[in-house]
Amino acid sequence: MKRSILLGIIAASLAFFFACEKEEDPIVENNNDTIVNDSTGSDTTAVSPAQFYLGEYDILVTTDSVMSDGNWFETGFIAQVSGKTYPDQIGHMTIAATDDPNKVSIYSQISSDGVTNLYDYYVTTGTVNEAGELILENSTSLLGGETPIDFEYNIISPSAPLVFKTHAYYMFGTVPCGYVHTNTATKIAQ
């Protein structure tokens, strides 16, 4: 068990070290949600089901647990056993409209200070269901430009701030590793 914990700590440390090396410019889609009323031929602005989510957000990412070789450990336990901590990551998230009024694009970058060494965190799309919940598509990003990390997202409820869990999985050599994060996204602009 100590070997698994040690491997997990090393893998997690290396993954976040490499992640902080990457910096890219965002690519975000936009549209104006204008529709044409067929009976009059005039333009009217539609209220998109995704309207609640559109905007710019500050995002705080907290690591809840870490996985190494199939074994999950709470970050508090890892800190007790090894002294290794997982500082919060901060950054920026944009949720923008697409051509489909039920669908949005999501782009997020984070780093330890939210300013320097930003790296892509989420680059995905999402669909708003009939209950008004945002369901994001699984996505893959590259940590440090070479390590693929697969993201799975929990459903996002229409609340302020947006609080949701993500699961991130990657390979450290031949060892499967992962994280569970709590994301808190606070809207700063529409």
Side-chain angles (χ1 to χ4, degrees):
M1 180 165 167
K2 286 185 180 181
R3 182 173 181 249
S4 291
I5 293 172
L6 183 58
L7 278 173
I9 292 169
I10 291 169
S13 298
L14 287 174
F16 272 103
F17 171 76
F18 287 120
C20 292
E21 297 296 316
K22 185 174 181 182
E23 187 171 340
E24 290 184 11
D25 293 328
I27 299 172
V28 180
E29 295 179 48
N30 279 311
N31 81 344
N32 61 8
D33 280 338
T34 300
I35 61 172
V36 174
N37 182 329
D38 291 334
S39 63
T40 64
S42 62
D43 287 348
T44 58
T45 301
V47 176
S48 159
Q51 188 71 33
F52 174 83
Y53 296 98
L54 302 181
E56 304 291 322
Y57 295 81
D58 285 331
I59 189 167
L60 171 69
V61 181
T62 302
T63 303
D64 301 332
S65 56
V66 178
M67 186 263 291
S68 175
D69 204 15
N71 299 305
W72 284 96
F73 305 97
E74 297 295 319
T75 54
F77 174 75
I78 293 172
Q80 282 182 332
V81 171
S82 68
K84 168 68 177 155
T85 60
Y86 294 87
D88 291 342
Q89 300 281 307
I90 55 176
H92 184 76
M93 181 171 73
T94 301
I95 300 180
T98 66
D99 292 337
D100 180 339
N102 294 315
K103 194 170 188 175
V104 296
S105 67
I106 294 92
Y107 179 77
S108 178
Q109 287 187 314
I110 63 171
S111 71
S112 60
D113 67 3
V115 178
T116 57
N117 297 320
L118 290 167
Y119 63 94
D120 288 350
Y121 186 49
Y122 304 136
V123 180
T124 190
T125 59
T127 304
V128 178
N129 67 16
E130 290 177 7
E133 300 165 320
L134 180 58
I135 301 168
L136 302 184
E137 295 290 325
N138 293 346
S139 65
T140 300
S141 292
L142 294 178
L143 289 179
E146 57 191 54
T147 304
I149 184 164
D150 298 319
F151 289 100
E152 296 176 3
Y153 308 89
N154 284 19
I155 292 174
I156 303 173
S157 296
S159 61
L162 303 178
V163 179
F164 60 101
K165 299 270 187 186
T166 54
H167 305 258
Y169 301 98
Y170 64 96
M171 294 297 291
F172 181 71
T174 60
V175 179
C177 299
Y179 295 97
V180 173
H181 293 135
T182 295
N183 302 268
T184 304
T186 304
K187 190 178 277 191
I188 54 175
Q190 184 68 14

